[in-house]
Amino acid sequence: MISVPGAQALTLPQGPAQGPPDAFMIGTEFAHLHPSPDQSLHLVLPPPTAEAAIEAGWAEQHPIARLGIISPGAVMVYAPRDAYEADIAAGLVRASYAYAIGAEPPITTGNERGH
């Protein structure tokens, strides 16, 4: 609903078990994967998790979020280059999903291995 053609959105079905409004980009969309060759992700994280991911170098705040138009936790996660980075990206998607359903998100920033 809010990305380039060919992007794959991650959404929740409509229903009562959802997190705060700031956990979504639009509607029930909490993340999307950009198509090749980009393959980066946009997703929404709780602000402290977003800050940790940015500080660790895994993400940058979405430019529209910097303007206050969408959730301050909206970030772009860089496309992974190897299996380790894919694990980090997957952990951030899991954190975004947890935020979207109102669960306590795991903090996965890559700092666990010195990054």
Side-chain angles (χ1 to χ4, degrees):
M1 292 173 50
I2 192 169
S3 189
V4 297
Q8 297 293 312
L10 298 173
T11 62
L12 294 182
Q14 295 291 341
Q18 295 181 357
D22 273 354
F24 302 93
M25 288 184 264
I26 188 168
T28 62
E29 182 177 328
F30 60 91
H32 58 249
L33 172 65
H34 296 131
S36 187
D38 183 281
Q39 297 181 322
S40 63
L41 295 154
H42 278 143
L43 50 84
V44 182
L45 297 166
T49 306
E51 290 171 20
I54 292 165
E55 286 178 19
W58 297 112
E60 61 184 65
Q61 189 177 37
H62 192 292
I64 303 292
R66 283 194 288 271
L67 297 174
I69 297 171
I70 61 173
S71 171
V75 296
M76 186 208 53
V77 176
Y78 306 113
R81 297 170 292 186
D82 58 29
Y84 172 68
E85 291 181 1
D87 286 344
I88 297 298
L92 292 169
V93 171
R94 284 190 296 275
S96 181
Y97 173 75
Y99 189 37
I101 64 169
E104 187 67 30
I107 303 232
T108 305
T109 63
N111 284 334
E112 299 84 10
R113 290 181 55 185
H115 291 167

